[in-house]
Amino acid sequence: MTRGPTLPAHRPPHLPTPLDAFNAASEDEVGTLLLHCLRSPRWSRRLADHRPYPDVESLLAAADEAAYDLLPADLAEALAGESLPELPAGTYSAAHTALTAAHAAYEAKFGHVFVIYSGDIRPTEALDHILEGIRSRLTNDPEEERVLVADELRRLARGRLLSLLRGAGPVTSAAPPRDAASPRGAAPGA
């Protein structure tokens, strides 16, 4: 059997990824995108100012690092931009009542909306997860809750950034940093 000439290796052209677009976007565009993900102008500016990012993991690491430097006022701004977690379609009205009552108790105690990352939770388990989270965290003192809230905001931001940059390249994990203070799971989605 005779073979024809061997063709040179074909390399597909580099196609821009969502991360490439993020790195090249105008300051205003990136600011708007980051504010949607992070809910804090200072946090958003810090990430925007350090572009370009070589990969998604670098961006996520920068988001985590910047979150640790947020002042209480910055965290309050991020919390003010959050809303109650959404319940799956078809959730019965008693569930809405239970969630509203639990959230009212939480907000009365801590003075801000309850946040919890729920990206890993099946929609059918979301209500139980949220209610359990509120009830268990109502036993926290304000300082303990402040630490947990900051961790949940970081996890929410990571999830939103990953959604924004889906397809931007390999990402090993959407999990929180290994040194995160909370072993808890989940929060309102993007």
Side-chain angles (χ1 to χ4, degrees):
M1 176 189 267
T2 325
R3 296 180 71 192
T6 305
L7 296 173
H10 175 71
R11 291 191 180 146
H14 173 74
L15 298 174
T17 66
L19 182 62
D20 294 332
F22 174 85
N23 283 330
S26 74
E27 194 173 310
D28 287 342
E29 290 173 316
V30 166
T32 299
L33 289 170
L34 288 172
L35 196 55
H36 171 76
C37 293
L38 308 175
R39 315 284 204 254
S40 164
R42 185 168 177 255
W43 196 0
S44 299
R45 274 191 310 277
R46 181 139 174 222
L47 285 185
D49 289 348
H50 288 89
R51 289 182 303 153
Y53 292 96
D55 52 47
V56 175
E57 283 298 328
S58 297
L59 173 61
L60 296 176
D64 285 345
E65 181 182 328
Y68 289 110
D69 294 337
L70 294 177
L71 302 172
D74 301 320
L75 288 174
E77 278 183 321
L79 283 169
E82 295 294 339
S83 59
L84 281 173
E86 290 186 34
L87 296 178
T91 303
Y92 53 95
S93 64
H96 288 280
T97 302
L99 181 60
T100 301
H103 186 266
Y106 178 92
E107 194 165 346
K109 180 171 182 176
F110 297 111
H112 57 77
V113 70
F114 174 79
V115 292
I116 188 167
Y117 177 73
S118 57
D120 306 345
I121 302 300
R122 286 185 237 150
T124 57
E125 298 170 359
L127 177 64
D128 291 336
H129 178 73
I130 294 166
L131 286 171
E132 187 277 325
I134 292 174
R135 289 180 184 136
S136 70
R137 287 170 49 188
L138 275 169
T139 63
N140 293 342
D141 63 56
E143 179 57 24
E144 184 179 24
E145 186 59 17
R146 185 194 65 75
V147 170
L148 286 172
V149 163
D151 184 52
E152 293 300 325
L153 284 172
R154 279 189 294 279
R155 295 181 76 203
L156 282 167
R158 287 177 68 89
R160 290 174 181 145
L161 287 168
L162 284 170
S163 291
L164 176 73
L165 298 171
R166 189 159 285 135
V171 175
T172 56
S173 171
R178 292 176 198 254
D179 63 342
S182 172
R184 290 179 169 75

